[in-house]
Amino acid sequence: MDFKKFLPWIIAIVVIIGIYGWVKGINNTAVTLNQNVEQSWGDVQTAYQRRNDLIGNLVNTVKGAADFEKSTLTAVIEARAKATSTTIDPTNITPEKLAEFNKAQSGVSSSLSRLLVTVERYPDLKANQNFLKLQDELASTENQILTARTRFNEAVKPYNSHIKTFPNSLFAGMFGFKEKAYFNSVEGADKPVEVKF
């Protein structure tokens, strides 16, 4: 048997298997990293959902104070409704969609801050144990949101790095992998918050 006759075929098969393994590795790593991003996004949504649930309880507790400003409560309720109606498909997290989501959540944070500042003028409400417990839970939830957003950004970084580095970038687009957006601070977050009593 003439080995030289089969050598080009053997080399071609080895090269094809090598290229297949390399491309498969690029794809499988991107899939794994994408799953990490989607899981992190789920954690972000869970933290925001917890806040929205607590806001409903907080609003009901505050409604019990008969002379409480209705406009402040209305602003919180409307912001919460807008935030819960803004959703993002975790497979397609674009900078525009994330900015829209962030803006809606920022509206909730802003109206909630106004509500909590306004409460300072109501000693009976400030002493209400249900209100105090909800206020503590909201503070805890805000920390959970910050942590979830930070972990989301930490999951996005290796995914984006993987699909944007050469030669992975040649195949990532063909496999449908697109760059994911990072959570950024909302516009104006760099300015100090003005509190009025």
Side-chain angles (χ1 to χ4, degrees), residues 22-36:
W22 175 63
V23 172
K24 179 181 163 192
I26 290 172
N27 180 66
N28 290 349
T29 301
V31 167
T32 301
L33 293 171
N34 189 49
Q35 288 298 307
N36 291 342

Side-chain angles (χ1 to χ4, degrees), residues 9-25:
W9 287 102
I10 293 170
I11 292 173
I13 290 170
V14 168
V15 167
I16 290 170
I17 290 172
I19 290 173
Y20 170 78
W22 175 63
V23 172
K24 179 181 163 192

Side-chain angles (χ1 to χ4, degrees), residues 48 50-59 62 68 71-80 104-120 131 134-135 137-142 145 193:
Y48 277 117
R50 175 175 160 73
R51 179 174 75 170
N52 288 330
D53 293 344
L54 287 171
I55 288 171
N57 294 335
L58 184 70
V59 165
V62 172
F68 196 81
S71 62
T72 305
L73 282 175
T74 303
V76 172
I77 293 166
E78 288 173 359
R80 178 180 174 234
Q105 296 300 334
S106 174
V108 173
S109 296
S110 176
S111 62
L112 193 55
S113 294
R114 284 193 302 276
L115 172 71
L116 295 175
V117 166
T118 306
V119 162
E120 294 297 316
F131 178 78
L134 288 167
Q135 198 173 16
E137 286 186 40
L138 275 171
S140 169
T141 299
E142 290 299 326
I145 289 170
V193 177

Side-chain angles (χ1 to χ4, degrees), residues 61-95:
T61 301
V62 172
K63 276 182 184 176
D67 58 346
F68 196 81
E69 288 92 342
K70 300 294 183 214
S71 62
T72 305
L73 282 175
T74 303
V76 172
I77 293 166
E78 288 173 359
R80 178 180 174 234
K82 184 176 181 184
T84 55
S85 68
T86 305
T87 58
I88 295 179
D89 173 10
T91 60
N92 189 23
I93 301 174
T94 63

